[in-house]
Amino acid sequence: MEKHDKYSKRGDGVAKEVTDDYSGIDEVIAYIHKHIDEPLQLSRLADIALYSPFHFTRIFKEKIGLSPMYYVSALRLQKAKDLLLQTNLTIRDIGLEIGQQSLGTFTTRFTERVGVTPSEFRRSAQEAEAHFKSLRNLSDWGTMSSVLLSGNSTIEGEICSAVPFDGFILIGLFAKPIPEGFPLYGTLLPSLGRFRFTDVRPGTYYLMATSVAWEMQTKDFLLPHATLRTRAHAPITVQPYTPVRYQEVMLHPARQDDPPILVSLPLLMRNFLHLKNQSGQRK
């Protein structure tokens, strides 16, 4: 099949501009999920989509926000989280399962993108349950945001849900269009409605959110495959002394093309409760 730089001829013989045709990308995403345990080369994924590797990478990133291979690595780290909680495999063997030959490299990448080490994540169930109970009993959530940097802009908006929801929301500004590592600015909300981040430094951010329903079991948010979520399809650019557009955010059920939620939700819960406790002590 001939591949073109600007246009790719699909099976119906009609040439479409790559930026207008995502059907091939949807097929590739389904293939990645089905074959995540196998070697996945860029050239093979591009062939499935009927694009040249260069333009496949471009249009994949345009739709998903991540490069194809970064998306693959994120799904494999998600699988590592599953294996840590649901099997007795050693951490070294889990690294091998997702294609990491070096234990040190696996541990470093997992820690950077989840926020805790593999060992800490494996031991986190009891602590996560305690944080969940503390949040359920919290009467005063306040309006604070966990600000890690200082600056001079405010990002605010409203978060809604496409389906009924009873629980709390974790929302943050991330450096990449995937909820991984630790948000540069993040907070927890007791319900749908308004949110605000203050003192946001100039830069480029991606707004991500997910939810934890009160009916969930601990493993449901340790491995948040089915939580409601949202992701910004366009970055938020903060410039000095320039107002930022009001953000309207919609939580929706998980879709196959959503990037996995790698950040440890209990870590965000713990941080929120810690800051809440510090705020209470200062009063």
Side-chain angles (χ1 to χ4, degrees), residues 55-241:
H55 283 91
F56 166 69
T57 299
R58 190 190 73 169
I59 195 171
F60 189 99
K61 191 170 184 179
E62 182 180 283
K63 175 176 171 60
I64 305 301
L66 306 167
S67 71
M69 303 320 294
Y70 199 95
Y71 180 78
V72 168
S73 71
L75 289 180
R76 286 177 172 157
L77 284 173
Q78 177 177 255
K79 179 184 176 181
K81 291 172 67 176
D82 291 350
L83 293 173
L84 283 165
L85 292 189
Q86 301 188 51
T87 75
N88 292 320
L89 290 172
T90 67
I91 293 175
R92 179 181 295 276
D93 285 344
I94 290 173
L96 292 172
E97 281 286 324
I98 68 165
Q100 294 291 333
Q101 301 300 317
S102 165
L103 175 61
T105 299
F106 168 59
T107 299
T108 298
R109 290 182 178 175
F110 188 97
T111 304
E112 287 176 349
R113 299 177 67 179
V114 177
V116 294
T117 67
S119 296
E120 289 170 335
F121 185 78
R122 174 166 264 174
R123 298 192 304 264
S124 64
Q126 185 173 358
E127 182 184 17
E129 185 175 359
H131 295 332
F132 183 76
K133 290 180 178 178
S134 296
L135 290 168
R136 181 125 202 199
N137 295 326
L138 192 62
S139 58
D140 178 19
W141 288 66
T143 57
M144 67 176 186
S145 61
S146 55
V147 178
L148 306 183
L149 300 171
S150 61
N152 53 17
S153 294
T154 296
I155 296 176
E156 57 185 333
E158 182 172 4
I159 188 163
C160 305
S161 178
V163 297
F165 164 71
D166 182 24
F168 63 93
I169 297 158
L170 305 96
I171 186 168
L173 300 174
F174 291 82
K176 296 178 180 178
I178 178 174
E180 65 176 22
F182 198 81
L184 300 175
Y185 304 83
T187 192
L188 272 63
L189 306 173
S191 62
L192 302 169
R194 296 282 299 273
F195 66 88
R196 173 183 292 181
F197 298 107
T198 58
D199 295 326
V200 179
R201 288 189 61 140
T204 300
Y205 305 95
Y206 295 87
L207 181 65
M208 305 277 172
T210 191
S211 62
V212 175
W214 294 125
E215 63 190 27
M216 282 184 171
Q217 301 299 312
T218 304
K219 189 172 288 187
D220 294 334
F221 56 85
L222 280 170
L223 303 174
H225 297 300
T227 57
L228 299 176
R229 66 207 49 206
T230 192
R231 61 187 173 107
H233 288 275
I236 298 172
T237 301
V238 176
Q239 298 177 335
Y241 310 107

